[in-house]
């Protein structure tokens, strides 16, 4: 009779261990806990336990990330076609908002930065773009910061990498520069 009780206890322990899951969240991660398909909470670093049949845990990396936007064809305010590329640094600050409110937060940020770039270049004459190239990153950051917050992201930095001119325009600008000298 004692051995039957021992077998039942062992079986109960095995079933309990199978039903309970240990989730380890590292310092550079956050985890979203869903119970019965509904968002419950954000788990910070450490070890957490969850009831496997009804709970799903999704881990996310919150370390700073970088996005590079390759040459975009953009018209300046005076109608000159340019190829502008830029880079941005951001981090995931609100994982619940980033995952639950938008399908793909990375793609949404990419499009937001592209549209801000088009807005700034489209309202700026080409001479100002070249003269104030260093200030464009700060203006882009201003335009992108609020929409990024709505996505659960914090944009830390946006910088222009390159401004490229079409072939014929390059030659013309080179002639203008040599004439000024």
């Amino acid at each position: 009779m004692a051995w039957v009780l021992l077998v039942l206890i062992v079986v109960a322990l095995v079933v309990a261990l199978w039903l309970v899951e240990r989730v380890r969240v590292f310092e550079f991660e956050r985890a979203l806990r869903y119970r019965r398909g509904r968002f419950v909470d954000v788990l910070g670093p450490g070890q957490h336990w969850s009831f496997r049949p009804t709970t799903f845990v999704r881990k996310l990396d919150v370390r700073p990330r970088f996005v590079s936007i390759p040459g975009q064809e953009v018209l300046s305010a005076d109608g000159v076609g340019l190829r502008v590329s830029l880079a941005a640094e951001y981090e995931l600050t609100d994982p619940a908002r980033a995952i639950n409110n938008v399908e793909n937060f990375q793609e949404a940020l990419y499009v937001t930065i592209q549209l801000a770039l088009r807005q700034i270049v489209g309202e700026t004459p080409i001479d100002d773009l070249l003269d104030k190239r260093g200030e464009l990153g700060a203006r882009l950051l201003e335009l992108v910061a609020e929409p990024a917050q709505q996505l659960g992201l914090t944009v830390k930095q946006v910088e222009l990498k390159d401004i490229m001119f079409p072939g014929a325009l390059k030659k013309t600008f080179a002639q203008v520069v040599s004439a000024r000298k």
Side-chain angles (χ1 to χ4, degrees):
M1 187 67 173
W3 63 274
V4 173
L5 185 59
L6 184 62
V7 168
L8 287 175
I9 291 173
V10 169
V11 168
L13 283 174
V14 168
V15 169
L17 288 175
W18 182 80
L19 291 175
V20 175
E21 178 181 28
R22 180 180 71 167
V23 178
R24 183 177 296 142
V25 180
F26 292 103
E27 191 67 35
F28 58 88
E29 295 176 319
R30 298 300 175 268
L32 303 178
R33 184 185 344 225
Y34 296 87
R35 191 169 290 125
R36 293 185 180 89
R38 293 183 166 247
F39 173 69
V40 178
D41 60 348
V42 177
L43 303 175
Q47 185 168 294
H48 306 275
W49 298 93
S50 66
F51 187 61
R52 191 183 306 239
T54 62
T55 305
F56 173 74
V57 176
R58 178 176 180 179
K59 295 198 283 187
L60 298 163
D61 195 324
V62 294
R63 291 178 284 195
R65 299 174 187 206
F66 298 89
V67 61
S68 180
I69 297 184
Q72 299 290 308
E73 291 286 334
V74 184
L75 284 176
S76 67
D78 41 11
V80 177
L82 305 168
R83 288 183 62 85
V84 182
S85 64
L86 55 89
E89 177 185 5
Y90 70 97
E91 65 182 18
L92 187 63
T93 51
D94 187 350
R97 184 178 288 175
I99 297 301
N100 295 328
N101 291 359
V102 67
E103 181 181 357
N104 185 337
F105 65 86
Q106 293 165 323
E107 187 175 310
L109 178 65
Y110 186 90
V111 170
T112 301
I113 293 172
Q114 275 185 320
L115 293 175
L117 173 66
R118 290 182 184 281
Q119 178 183 340
I120 288 175
V121 172
E123 63 191 24
T124 309
I126 193 158
D127 292 334
D128 290 347
L129 279 173
L130 295 174
D131 291 341
K132 300 176 182 175
R133 182 178 174 176
E135 299 172 15
L136 291 178
R139 286 183 55 202
L140 277 167
L141 184 59
E142 288 175 19
L143 285 175
V144 169
E146 179 58 32
Q149 282 295 131
Q150 299 302 316
L151 296 172
L153 308 171
T154 299
V155 178
K156 295 178 155 194
Q157 182 178 353
V158 180
E159 293 296 330
L160 248 57
K161 290 184 351 186
D162 294 312
I163 297 178
M164 298 162 273
F165 298 101
L169 198 56
K170 277 185 193 177
K171 292 177 186 176
T172 305
F173 266 103
Q175 291 170 352
V176 168
V177 169
S178 65
R180 286 183 185 166
K181 288 182 180 180

